[in-house]
Amino acid sequence: MPTCDKNERRAVEAAEKGLVMKRSLAILLLLIVGGMPTAASSAAIRPKQAIAQAKAEWLADIRAAAHSGDRSTRFPSPPREVLIKRIDKAAKLYGFRVVSIQMLHSLQDAPVIVISSARKQSLARSTPKIIDLFDPRHPTRTNPSSYAYEAYFLVAQTTRGVPFLATFNRWRGPHAGGGQWAESETLYPFPHG
């Protein structure tokens, strides 16, 4: 049996602890994102906490995919200026204000977009169309998912800065996927179970 020094043991223990924490967070996010009413999702987790946890998990996933995922998939990754034009067009069409746009770069661009609106229901219904405007689909051989960006994170908040909806995805394997969160059942932009 191989031996390891104290530093290697600490590194292994830290990695195992991180994995347990990540799994616990993933289970909590599944409950929140899936809309399942739990004591944790309805009482203990405030909207800003739910968004922070979802974003932390999303960031970890896109970083892991950049490190060990499918590096051959290429996304168009339009530059920030194109993204801003697309978001501005969506804002005019669907009546929201852009709070911030941040472009992260794992292997390629991944926008983080925060918008605000006083019209929660209207914005929730429009969210799929808003996403289609800034992350349009165009299938190619090198981009089978057909999305413009390898990942995105979109948060909608009230005019007072309280999140009421979030949707996110990541398309670089091995664990591509996404999720959504909403403060109430009627605000989910996509069907969920």
Side-chain angles (χ1 to χ4, degrees), residues 7 13 20 68 82 111 133 136 141 152 181:
N7 290 336
E13 290 169 358
V20 169
S68 63
V82 171
L133 281 172
R141 185 178 52 77
Y152 78 82
W181 171 89

Side-chain angles (χ1 to χ4, degrees), residues 60-71 106-107 150 170-175:
D61 287 343
I62 65 171
R63 287 179 183 135
H67 179 63
S68 63
D70 173 17
R71 298 175 74 87
S106 51
L107 283 179
E150 72 172 284
R170 59 201 179 281
W171 292 113
R172 188 175 304 282
H175 305 292

